[in-house]
Amino acid sequence: MDMTSLLLLGLAALGIVSNNSPVTIAMVVLLLIRVLGLSQAFPWLEKYGLTIGIIILTIGVMTPLASGKISLQTVGQSFLHWKSLAAIGIGILVAYLGGRGAILMGNQPTVVAGLLIGTVIGVAFFKGVPVGPLIAAGILSLLIGKL
């Protein structure tokens, strides 16, 4: 077995040990793509995977609004409470950082490995969720002053 497959297997094991099914499932899917010789899928996944993931994440976040669990009145009231206003501000900041992060990851692919490893560690050991690479790259872009 090659080193990349062993790394994917190790990360899947880390997902199992940390009881984090998203990491486990992602690593097993990528490992299966490698083992089954479907490597032609990797360029497509690299190009569209992030966009598809963001679409699915957005659908999940917006479902309470679409289903009526969050009313239009509740949305309107979010502009009247300091916690909701803080949430809006933080949402804007995170979206901005994510945008910077996407640019940095495209312009400096050498940082991607470190961001991914950090994200997997954060997910596996600190009960995080794997949405961190874009935000981490955005924070990194602020620290190193590059886009």
Side-chain angles (χ1 to χ4, degrees), residues 2-95:
D2 65 293
M3 288 303 294
T4 303
S5 295
L6 284 174
L7 177 63
L8 291 171
L9 194 58
L11 292 171
L14 191 62
I16 291 168
V17 168
S18 65
N19 204 19
N20 194 303
S21 55
V23 169
T24 305
I25 292 167
M27 295 309 121
V28 168
V29 167
L30 292 171
L31 186 59
L32 283 172
I33 290 171
R34 284 184 64 81
V35 170
L36 295 175
L38 302 172
S39 298
Q40 67 273 17
F42 287 133
W44 188 88
L45 286 171
E46 285 181 41
K47 187 173 182 179
Y48 300 109
L50 183 61
T51 301
I52 292 168
I54 290 171
I55 290 168
I56 292 169
L57 181 63
T58 303
I59 290 169
V61 169
M62 297 303 290
T63 297
L65 182 67
S67 71
K69 285 185 180 178
I70 296 177
S71 67
L72 193 55
Q73 180 183 0
T74 303
V75 173
Q77 289 174 344
S78 69
F79 292 98
L80 303 175
H81 194 273
W82 74 269
K83 287 181 182 177
S84 296
L85 290 172
I88 291 168
I90 291 169
I92 292 168
L93 176 63
V94 167

Side-chain angles (χ1 to χ4, degrees), residues 63-147:
T63 297
L65 182 67
S67 71
K69 285 185 180 178
I70 296 177
S71 67
L72 193 55
Q73 180 183 0
T74 303
V75 173
Q77 289 174 344
S78 69
F79 292 98
L80 303 175
H81 194 273
W82 74 269
K83 287 181 182 177
S84 296
L85 290 172
I88 291 168
I90 291 169
I92 292 168
L93 176 63
V94 167
Y96 168 73
L97 289 173
R100 283 186 66 107
I103 293 169
L104 180 71
M105 290 172 78
N107 291 343
Q108 296 189 27
T110 55
V111 302
V112 173
L115 293 166
L116 294 176
I117 290 168
T119 298
V120 169
I121 290 170
V123 168
F125 294 113
F126 300 105
K127 306 269 187 231
V129 291
V131 295
L134 283 176
I135 307 307
I139 293 169
L140 179 63
S141 77
L142 291 175
L143 292 174
I144 64 176
K146 295 195 177 188
L147 273 179

